[in-house]
Amino acid sequence: MKIAISGKGGVGKTLLAALLSKISAESGFSVIAIDADPDANLAATLGFPHPDKITPISALNDLIEERVGVRPGASGAFFKLNPRVDDLPEEYSVKLDGIRLMVMGRIKRGGTGCYCPEGALLQALLSHLLLQRNEVVIMDMEAGIEHLSRGTAKAVDILIIVVEPGRRSIETAQTILNLAQDIGLTKIAAVGNKIRNASDREFIENNLPGIEMLGYISYEPTITEADLAGKPVFTNVPQTVNEVRDIYRKLVSTGQQPT
């Protein structure tokens, strides 16, 4: 299964990505978790030690120059659009409890234009992960789908938009939905987070008509407490984990079976 997760900043997409990764690994699958959000927090949420020491792929200038032929920041230079990347998942990832994590970093930087050497490498790497690998791939994206192209979108089994009961979250979800449809993503669903009561559920459902709801995650202040204390959510917030297990089971039961 190849899963992309997006939503407004702070809505809880990293939490969902981390718990789905944990539950998939717990179920016996080989998992690659991709942190494609520039505000990278997936490593910490997954419980990796020293997450601040993990260097994003987009910041590995020597590697980028070696593979695409141009150093990031160079202007007016030609570079390879299809560099070799098949060895990168093993060499430039960290692994914990059956989960292999790759931190992508920004796909482009200010002043480098719409396409750049690091963007070429990241696009090639993402295509490899989605199209060539047999693992469960779970990608935590920023509030958009910048890392996905029309080509890679075909390999994504489902895009999950995480929403909370609020106007800004709904507006972001609608923007993501439009962008996803533009590049050909056909399987799109939502997960409601920070739910306090039935009214919160109704607000989300009424404002996102026609989108399948995979499930809901209750508002749980102990998630923040666990984060501040440096404790893993997976072992310290059982109610949240159980709610995500229900979401995972729905993914499997609706035909999105990991392979």
Side-chain angles (χ1 to χ4, degrees):
M1 178 167 28
K2 307 297 191 298
I3 302 172
I5 301 175
S6 189
K8 183 180 75 68
V11 80
K13 57 186 181 296
T14 298
L15 174 70
L16 180 63
L19 292 182
L20 284 177
S21 296
K22 286 280 192 180
I23 293 166
S24 297
E26 182 187 69
S27 301
F29 297 102
S30 177
V31 178
I32 295 180
I34 303 173
D35 195 338
D37 189 338
D39 184 19
N41 293 305
L42 186 55
T45 307
L46 283 168
F48 278 84
H50 311 296
D52 55 315
K53 303 295 184 183
I54 301 174
T55 302
I57 300 296
S58 65
L60 297 172
N61 292 341
D62 291 342
L63 173 68
I64 294 167
E65 183 176 17
E66 173 198 332
R67 296 305 169 94
V68 305
V70 175
R71 197 166 186 83
S75 59
F78 294 99
F79 48 85
K80 297 177 184 177
L81 296 180
N82 295 296
R84 181 193 173 197
V85 294
D86 62 307
D87 59 326
L88 301 188
E90 281 68 36
E91 189 170 352
Y92 292 95
S93 65
V94 289
K95 192 171 183 179
L96 179 71
D97 298 334
I99 299 171
R100 189 181 297 278
L101 171 69
M102 299 197 76
V103 179
M104 294 295 206
R106 292 188 180 277
I107 200 167
K108 61 184 179 183
R109 298 173 183 164
T112 62
C114 294
Y115 214 58
C116 54
E118 56 267 46
L121 184 66
L122 290 184
Q123 285 285 11
L125 176 57
L126 188 58
S127 294
H128 172 73
L129 292 170
L130 291 175
L131 296 167
Q132 304 298 326
R133 307 282 295 206
N134 290 324
E135 293 96 335
V136 172
V137 177
I138 299 175
M139 181 165 59
D140 177 18
M141 299 190 295
E142 58 184 320
I145 53 172
E146 187 178 42
H147 283 76
L148 292 178
S149 65
R150 290 186 181 275
T152 53
K154 295 177 183 178
V156 174
D157 294 305
I158 186 168
L159 169 67
I160 301 175
I161 305 174
V162 183
V163 292
E164 62 185 10
R167 289 292 175 189
R168 288 184 58 201
S169 178
I170 294 295
E171 290 170 1
T172 301
Q174 291 169 335
T175 299
I176 294 168
L177 178 62
N178 292 335
L179 291 171
Q181 291 172 335
D182 285 346
I183 65 170
L185 275 166
T186 57
K187 179 64 174 177
I188 304 170
V191 166
N193 189 27
K194 303 180 184 178
I195 304 301
R196 296 174 182 266
N197 48 46
S199 296
D200 285 347
R201 292 190 182 206
E202 291 173 6
F203 176 84
I204 292 172
E205 291 171 0
N206 290 339
N207 284 280
L208 291 176
I211 297 182
E212 178 187 4
M213 295 300 303
L214 288 174
Y216 295 90
I217 302 171
S218 303
Y219 173 75
E220 181 54 77
T222 54
I223 292 175
T224 302
E225 294 169 10
D227 181 54
L228 292 173
K231 297 178 180 179
V233 173
F234 197 73
T235 54
N236 285 273
V237 190
Q239 178 181 341
T240 300
V241 174
N242 287 335
E243 289 171 337
V244 177
R245 286 191 198 281
D246 289 338
I247 292 168
Y248 175 83
R249 282 192 285 267
K250 188 168 184 179
L251 283 169
V252 171
S253 66
T254 54
Q256 305 300 328
Q257 176 66 48
T259 56

